[in-house]
Amino acid sequence: MLAKRQLGIATLGVLAVAAGARALQRRPATMMRESRSGPHDATVAAARRLNRAAGLIATSTLLDSGVEHYRGMFHNKAMITPLVVSALTLAVSAHGLRDRRKLAHRVRDPVYAAAALTGMVGTGFHIYNIGKRPGGFCWQNLFYGSPLGAPAAVALAGLLGYYSERLRDSEGGRTPRVFGMPAGRALAALTAVGLVATSAEAGLLHFRGAYHDPFMFVPVTVPPIAAALLSETAATHPQRPRRLTHWWLRLTALVGFLGAGFHVFGVSRNMGGWRNWSQNILNGPPIPAPPSFTGLALAGLAALGLIEEHPRA
């Protein structure tokens, strides 16, 4: 009876996140009209897609950091910082998703920059936290110390959002460039690095779990292939991105949501299941973490869309 109940919970979780994946994969009609109305409007459409990607990653980091830092009892007052910054990043991303203007926003810009800086500083704090433990950088401390990938995800959300504002600020009628580099290829390369880093973090934690479930191999195989395909696009610069790259990124986006469903099931398998949710959420697999893959996949799709509209980008 208990096993059937747990399976039902997991099924509902998977269906919910799959529906969310489907909704996020749909390109709004307004974005499609913008991409067809002119080259500069296409950069605004790509920027809005990046706002959406940054917002999804910010949601993941907000919830994940909230759980992890609550488990740490916020013993360091600075542990509240990523929660505040992630919440602000989510808010400005939602605003950017609705904003069709062709200029960088004076509020979104500093919030995104603050998120990138917070993520970098947080990574330094987490490295220091692991290094000061007995044994230093050993497997035990990497498994159970401060996760290195969590603050890096905050930085990624900030970088993608800041990148979106640079796209809005690019000059019309010209190939969009960001920091002197072709925008499409640079974004593809940045997304590929983010996918590899996120997959490495998942691989470390799944190694801790001894890969007891075959599905635990999915986040260490599907996203790295997506990163390789994006890297190929950035390096060879085809006139039109490969169809396989499009579909593989969509698969990666779906993997992020399905991973949350599997983590819901993983929490339910702990002693007491969801009746003991206050303890099992803290000690079970992190439910908000996998959708980071979805956010990065959406950023990769934005890069491909930009390259299609601007063949020299």
Side-chain angles (χ1 to χ4, degrees):
M1 184 67 180
L2 182 59
K4 290 183 179 179
R5 185 180 303 171
Q6 292 171 348
L7 183 60
I9 292 173
T11 302
L12 288 175
V14 170
L15 290 174
V17 295
R22 178 64 178 169
L24 281 170
Q25 284 300 305
R26 292 176 179 169
R27 292 176 61 184
T30 52
M31 287 189 180
M32 295 180 68
R33 286 196 298 270
E34 284 176 358
S35 64
R36 294 171 181 169
S37 59
H40 193 58
D41 286 336
T43 63
V44 175
R48 294 174 63 202
R49 296 187 191 107
L50 284 181
N51 289 134
R52 177 174 58 181
L56 184 54
I57 297 174
T59 302
S60 176
T61 57
L62 172 63
L63 298 176
D64 195 28
S65 297
V67 171
E68 295 295 330
H69 288 183
Y70 175 77
R71 183 170 63 178
M73 302 302 294
F74 292 95
H75 70 275
N76 186 333
K77 300 302 181 184
M79 293 171 74
I80 195 69
T81 305
L83 277 69
V84 174
V85 171
S86 295
L88 290 174
T89 303
L90 173 59
V92 298
S93 296
H95 180 270
L97 184 59
R98 298 175 61 86
D99 188 1
R100 299 182 179 87
R101 290 175 293 180
K102 302 176 182 179
L103 294 174
H105 196 271
R106 60 182 181 181
V107 175
R108 291 197 302 263
D109 244 349
V111 170
Y112 283 134
L117 180 61
T118 299
M120 294 175 188
V121 173
T123 302
F125 271 113
H126 282 206
I127 292 174
Y128 171 74
N129 178 273
I130 293 174
K132 74 176 183 179
R133 288 169 171 255
F137 287 89
C138 63
W139 285 114
Q140 180 77 8
N141 290 339
L142 288 173
F143 286 154
Y144 298 103
S146 302
L148 297 178
V154 180
L156 268 174
L159 286 173
L160 291 176
Y162 194 77
Y163 200 103
S164 72
E165 297 305 303
R166 304 285 68 74
L167 280 177
R168 291 177 188 272
D169 223 17
S170 61
E171 295 183 16
R174 297 186 180 182
T175 299
R177 303 180 72 86
V178 176
F179 306 124
M181 299 178 289
R185 283 186 284 173
L187 178 57
L190 173 62
T191 305
V193 171
L195 283 168
V196 170
T198 307
S199 185
E201 177 75 6
L204 177 67
L205 296 180
H206 286 190
F207 179 66
R208 184 182 72 181
Y211 289 96
H212 64 274
D213 188 324
F215 287 104
M216 295 174 75
F217 287 99
V218 173
V220 297
T221 53
V222 173
I225 294 175
L229 293 172
L230 278 173
S231 299
E232 187 271 340
T233 299
T236 63
H237 197 209
Q239 288 297 314
R240 291 186 65 82
R242 313 284 192 261
R243 181 174 297 182
L244 175 62
T245 308
H246 278 282
W247 282 106
W248 204 270
L249 284 170
R250 292 188 177 101
L251 175 62
T252 305
L254 183 60
V255 163
F257 277 107
L258 292 179
F262 276 107
H263 283 198
V264 168
F265 178 65
V267 170
S268 72
R269 293 182 62 189
N270 286 339
M271 185 173 294
W274 282 100
R275 289 173 297 179
N276 190 26
W277 65 269
S278 60
Q279 179 177 343
N280 288 341
I281 284 181
L282 296 178
N283 298 319
I287 296 172
S292 290
F293 285 119
T294 305
L296 287 166
L298 293 177
L301 289 170
L304 297 185
L306 190 60
I307 292 173
E308 287 180 348
E309 296 293 339
H310 295 271
R312 302 176 68 179

